[in-house]
Amino acid sequence: MSFRLNWGVGPVHYRATTSSPEAERAIRTRLEPWLRPEDAEAWADWKLLPAAEGWSLSCSRPEFAARSGTLSQLIQVMEYQSVAWLYGYPDLLVLHGALLSRNQRGRVILGPPEAGKSTLALGLWQNQGWELLSDDCIVLPAASAMAWPGPRRLSLRFASQPLLEPGW
């Protein structure tokens, strides 16, 4: 049996294929906010398969070298490499920052590393009624007023983690 999952940001589509129900569940859990129906050609096809020792990950992109590791490590590699490729995708501007929305209006928080972008986004999300779309990267198509959240979850530095509501 083979499982296929599709995800992406804006015009960039990725696909992961695995023969393992365990891997399918883990990929689905990690990438759930960015899953899509299978409606477009994938820019990169990933294959995640059980191996003699752990798991193996390969990709249709020639610049990616196949590797092995734990399931969790390889899903993280797949996610992070997919985000990294956004920076070189034609006609997209990718910004390092947070993207929030309220009343169908978007707000972008930009700043240098460790400036508190994620902490500010968390405060607006938990206390001011904003919807947190992304805290790491924002994808803007060329010549457009649209923005897409990058496939990344809230990532706080250790000092800011006590600000999270109980149960996080």
Side-chain angles (χ1 to χ4, degrees):
M1 177 177 254
S2 182
F3 300 95
R4 293 176 68 159
L5 294 160
N6 297 279
W7 78 96
V9 176
V12 186
H13 299 261
Y14 301 105
R15 180 175 299 121
T17 304
T18 184
S19 60
S20 162
E22 175 189 7
E24 187 269 343
R25 282 189 303 275
I27 295 167
R28 182 176 298 282
T29 298
R30 177 109 185 177
L31 300 175
E32 189 274 327
W34 305 281
L35 293 177
R36 297 180 162 189
E38 194 168 330
D39 62 352
E41 183 177 335
W43 189 76
D45 275 305
W46 296 93
K47 289 193 179 21
L48 183 59
L49 301 169
E53 293 185 28
W55 295 82
S56 69
L57 179 65
S58 62
C59 184
S60 63
R61 304 296 305 170
E63 61 270 30
F64 183 82
R67 57 193 72 182
S68 60
T70 68
L71 180 59
S72 178
Q73 288 170 334
L74 295 178
I75 291 172
Q76 184 176 30
V77 166
M78 186 170 58
E79 178 187 21
Y80 286 13
Q81 182 62 64
S82 296
V83 171
W85 281 330
L86 290 174
Y87 286 87
Y89 197 84
D91 298 323
L92 292 180
L93 173 63
V94 181
L95 303 173
H96 177 84
L99 178 62
L100 298 106
S101 167
R102 184 168 71 177
N103 301 327
Q104 299 184 2
R105 304 279 312 223
R107 293 292 184 262
V108 173
I109 301 171
L110 300 175
E114 299 186 35
K117 299 177 295 294
S118 296
T119 304
L120 176 57
L122 171 67
L124 292 170
W125 175 44
Q126 287 190 334
N127 302 312
Q128 300 296 316
W130 287 84
E131 180 182 0
L132 177 60
L133 303 175
S134 178
D135 90 309
D136 188 60
C137 84
I138 303 151
V139 181
L140 304 162
S144 172
M146 291 186 59
W148 295 296
R152 190 89 168 30
R153 282 154 218 62
L154 185 64
S155 177
L156 295 176
R157 304 219 178 273
F158 185 74
S160 296
Q161 289 178 2
L163 300 172
L164 286 170
E165 291 179 352
W168 260 79

